[in-house]
Amino acid sequence: MSEPLFEVDETGEDVTRADTASSAAELSPAEKAATREEHLKLAEGALVRADDLVAGYVPGVNILRGCDFYLQDGELVGIIGPNGAGKSTLLKTLFGLIPVRSGEVTLRGESITGAPAHRLVSMGVGYVPQNNNVFPSLSIEENMQMGVFLRPKTFKERFDYVIDLFPLLGERRKGKAGALSGGERQMVAMGRALMMDPSVLLLDEPSAGLSPVYQDEVFIRCRRINATGVSIIMVEQNARRCLQICDRGYVLDQGRNAYTDSGRSLMNDPKVIELYLGTLAKAQ
Amino acid sequence: MRDVLLTAIRGIGFGSIYAMLAVGFVVIYKSSRVISFAQPALMLAGAVLVSYLAGPIGFYGAVLVAALAIAALGLGVERATIRPMIGRPVFVIAIITLGLDIAIRVVVNAFIGSDVRNVGDPWGLSAVDVFGLPVQERYIAMVLVLVVTVGALFAFFQYSRYGLAMRAASLDQETAMVQGVSVGAMMALSWAIAGGLAAVAGAFVGAGGGIEQNTWIIALKALPAIIIGGLDSVGGAVIGGLLVGLVESFFATYQGEYLPWLGQNFSLVSPYVLLLVVLLVRPYGIFGTREVERV
């Protein structure tokens, strides 16, 4: 019989992997505290900030177990880590899709912990889910209309902006989104999130399931969107490409911060290479 | 030929009622993936309200007030009993709707009493001459009300912001939510629409013959209609309802003559025979979406 991923003891703490797995962050408690203090200092005045987040889907099972995060205005921040590290969970928790058990999330210093999605959207936060992220039987134009559901009067102006970024969406505006390829659907999803003129965009594995050509296209678009002043938080499985384009990166492991640094530094960090980027990256 | 045409007209008339009820079932199903068994009670409640109001404010005014009142009842029922159950097994929610149906009917029956109540419709059984055929006015009214309500609903779904949001939420609740759509509000709206449609259908069910405590059973004929048309298709519900009406009407007229060995009143079960035949050929109904699961 296979072991469960997580088990909880009488106190509600999950113990299965916390103490048995080889943690990426092999730091002494004092080193950990120093690292966290430094992180908290850097997080001051951040656009988005999460402190000591604990969250999970099933009662008694925590996926995030004390995670810290911040995004400064104009940054593109990548979140990488192995399967089950809590990357997508962190993104969903920031967006209020998963209940926070402890800790706090703030946007421009205002608490948004547990805020409903429609409030976050109206506050300028856009979210692009990982899979099935378009409405397949709606036309591309209708998908874009859904993007400005809360501000319908801005449709024309915003659609023109999105078409400028993704010309294909304008050319095929009357076509059904379900008839598009995976990469094209990703553009619809990203374009739709941009319709509300967000200041922060949360992208959950935007390159998942795409061909290498489309993956490159998506990363280039992300950089371009970021250059227009939209701050981006991106969760990615394609760790190398993500770290190449992001300003800063977080490496999560078992629901906690393992490493945090600039994208370039993380790419060259021997521990990150060994544990997350693999031997190919090492050879390069 | 004259009999065939009259039979068809009667079938389309009653089929229009089944279609309106079926559309209500489909709208709720699309928003919550639940078949609401409370529709018969909402239909009966609407009919009773019309029967009481038709005298003081006239039949058409009564239909309008009943539609709005039952829509409000639908909103309340959804908020109080369905919304707290979001995320629970669909089967449990369906059973709750069954309980709601019984509870509402108990109250409504007290207002019906033991006799037949007239809904105060202006047509009764009177007929008009249409190309030489004596067509009952109530059948014409039933078809017209179907065209108007479904047309209005189509325009709402196609051209309004909330209609688009309802379509989006029916496709993917989470993705709709991250656009700022309140999925709960969309569910409430679907219950209001279904309630309004049920009330209008109830008023027309009683046209000509009145209503009594067992009239609710008529609403169950919308169930084969939605399965035949496809559970998630509004257009399919309309076609399914009309087909059920036609099949029932033709069996009622001709079964005794041509298929006497089927016994008495086979027309009552004929919609279910049609259901069986359609499902054997198209398991997802005529217009239903085939579900494909990745394994």
Side-chain angles (χ1 to χ4, degrees):
Chain A
M1 207 174 81
S2 62
E3 281 185 0
L5 279 177
F6 297 100
E7 277 179 6
V8 287
D9 63 14
E10 312 83 75
T11 62
E13 285 287 312
D14 45 330
V15 294
T16 315
R17 298 202 311 177
D19 303 320
T20 54
S22 61
S23 173
E26 288 168 354
L27 302 171
S28 69
E31 283 173 323
K32 275 184 184 171
T35 311
R36 182 154 193 267
E37 254 175 45
E38 195 179 320
H39 185 270
L40 292 177
K41 202 180 287 177
L42 289 167
E44 280 174 17
L47 180 62
V48 178
R49 178 173 171 172
D51 292 327
D52 211 10
L53 273 189
V54 176
Y57 300 86
V58 182
V61 181
N62 296 329
I63 306 295
L64 296 182
R65 297 181 293 164
C67 193
D68 296 313
F69 176 88
Y70 73 85
L71 171 82
Q72 294 290 1
D73 202 359
E75 269 192 320
L76 195 167
V77 171
I79 302 170
I80 63 168
N83 284 334
K87 307 182 295 293
S88 293
T89 307
L90 173 58
L91 209 63
K92 287 181 179 177
T93 308
L94 292 175
F95 198 67
L97 295 174
I98 296 174
V100 175
R101 292 187 182 140
S102 72
E104 188 178 35
V105 184
T106 60
L107 176 70
R108 295 183 195 91
E110 185 185 340
S111 178
I112 54 165
T113 315
H118 60 86
R119 188 177 151 224
L120 292 176
V121 173
S122 65
M123 289 173 81
V125 183
Y127 173 76
V128 180
Q130 183 181 346
N131 293 317
N132 304 322
N133 49 17
V134 299
F135 301 112
S137 62
L138 301 190
S139 70
I140 290 171
E141 190 172 319
E142 286 173 328
N143 267 274
M144 295 301 137
Q145 282 172 356
M146 284 306 300
V148 282
F149 176 72
L150 296 176
R151 277 185 224 143
K153 285 181 181 167
T154 61
F155 174 75
K156 197 186 172 312
E157 174 203 334
R158 293 306 299 169
F159 194 33
D160 287 344
Y161 166 79
V162 169
I163 287 175
D164 202 38
L165 276 172
F166 304 104
L168 176 99
L169 303 186
E171 291 158 22
R172 298 172 68 174
R173 61 197 292 167
K174 296 292 176 196
K176 298 278 184 221
L180 301 175
S181 69
E184 291 164 343
R185 285 183 190 210
Q186 196 61 42
M187 286 176 196
V188 171
M190 287 169 70
R192 192 185 53 212
L194 290 169
M195 289 293 287
M196 270 295 275
D197 194 12
S199 49
V200 186
L201 196 57
L202 279 58
L203 305 173
D204 195 355
E205 300 201 19
S207 75
L210 303 185
S211 67
V213 175
Y214 267 120
Q215 284 191 13
D216 284 346
E217 181 75 15
V218 164
F219 287 118
I220 291 166
R221 303 275 182 185
C222 289
R223 200 66 250 194
R224 199 173 294 168
I225 292 165
N226 179 237
T228 65
V230 180
S231 309
I232 296 179
I233 304 170
M234 178 197 291
V235 162
E236 255 302 322
Q237 279 285 0
N238 191 339
R240 289 198 74 247
R241 294 294 276 121
C242 176
L243 293 178
Q244 275 174 353
I245 66 156
C246 69
D247 300 313
R248 273 189 315 115
Y250 282 85
V251 182
L252 293 195
D253 189 38
Q254 296 176 34
R256 294 192 179 100
N257 301 54
Y259 302 100
T260 307
D261 211 331
S262 68
R264 188 165 295 275
S265 301
L266 286 174
M267 277 182 71
N268 296 320
D269 188 314
K271 278 184 184 171
V272 176
I273 291 173
E274 184 70 37
L275 287 163
Y276 303 112
L277 300 180
T279 49
L280 185 62
K282 203 174 179 181
Q284 288 170 342
Chain B
M1 190 60 194
R2 176 190 154 91
D3 280 353
V4 170
L5 285 174
L6 287 175
T7 303
I9 289 166
R10 183 181 62 196
I12 290 171
F14 282 114
S16 301
I17 303 292
Y18 305 149
M20 263 187 286
L21 289 161
V23 169
F25 275 106
V26 167
V27 168
I28 289 181
Y29 178 80
K30 279 170 79 84
S31 77
S32 56
R33 301 288 144 189
V34 172
I35 292 179
S36 164
F37 293 103
Q39 283 295 91
L42 295 179
M43 180 196 84
L44 201 57
V48 168
L49 214 49
V50 171
S51 75
Y52 277 90
L53 294 174
I57 63 172
F59 179 75
Y60 298 108
V63 171
L64 188 64
V65 171
L68 293 174
I70 303 303
L73 177 64
L75 274 179
V77 161
E78 188 279 334
R79 193 69 191 85
T81 61
I82 306 297
R83 190 86 62 89
M85 299 303 289
I86 288 179
R88 309 278 176 183
V90 166
F91 174 74
V92 176
I93 304 174
I95 295 297
I96 287 177
T97 66
L98 207 54
L100 281 168
D101 180 65
I102 294 166
I104 295 169
R105 273 196 290 116
V106 165
V107 176
V108 169
N109 282 345
F111 288 92
I112 296 177
S114 53
D115 291 333
V116 173
R117 279 192 70 84
N118 195 309
V119 292
D121 62 287
W123 312 292
L125 298 176
S126 58
V128 288
D129 188 273
V130 179
F131 301 115
L133 287 172
V135 178
Q136 284 191 25
E137 288 174 0
R138 61 174 178 158
Y139 298 144
I140 298 172
M142 286 170 182
V143 174
L144 282 177
V145 80
L146 174 71
V147 170
V148 170
T149 50
V150 171
L153 213 52
F154 175 81
F156 170 74
F157 284 129
Q158 207 60 38
Y159 304 112
S160 83
R161 176 168 160 250
Y162 282 95
L164 180 63
M166 280 186 80
R167 283 161 64 205
S170 77
L171 292 167
D172 187 335
Q173 292 192 346
E174 186 178 282
T175 306
M177 206 161 71
V178 302
Q179 312 311 318
V181 174
S182 165
V183 173
M186 295 303 114
M187 277 178 65
L189 198 52
S190 72
W191 272 78
I193 290 170
L197 284 171
V200 176
F204 284 83
V205 158
I211 53 161
E212 39 107 11
Q213 292 195 359
N214 283 330
T215 300
W216 68 275
I217 294 171
I218 291 173
L220 296 183
K221 287 179 190 165
L223 287 173
I226 56 171
I227 307 287
I228 289 165
L231 259 176
D232 57 356
S233 167
V234 171
V238 173
I239 302 290
L242 293 175
L243 277 176
V244 165
L246 281 168
V247 166
E248 188 183 46
S249 182
F250 275 97
F251 267 89
T253 305
Y254 295 108
Q255 178 252 318
E257 188 180 342
Y258 294 102
L259 304 167
W261 45 272
L262 285 173
Q264 300 279 310
N265 293 327
F266 189 82
S267 66
L268 294 177
V269 293
S270 61
Y272 301 95
V273 175
L274 175 66
L275 168 73
L276 190 68
V277 172
V278 169
L279 288 189
L280 283 172
V281 183
R282 289 187 67 90
Y284 295 96
I286 298 172
F287 298 102
T289 308
R290 190 188 179 95
E291 282 186 21
V292 180
E293 240 173 68
R294 210 179 274 260
V295 290

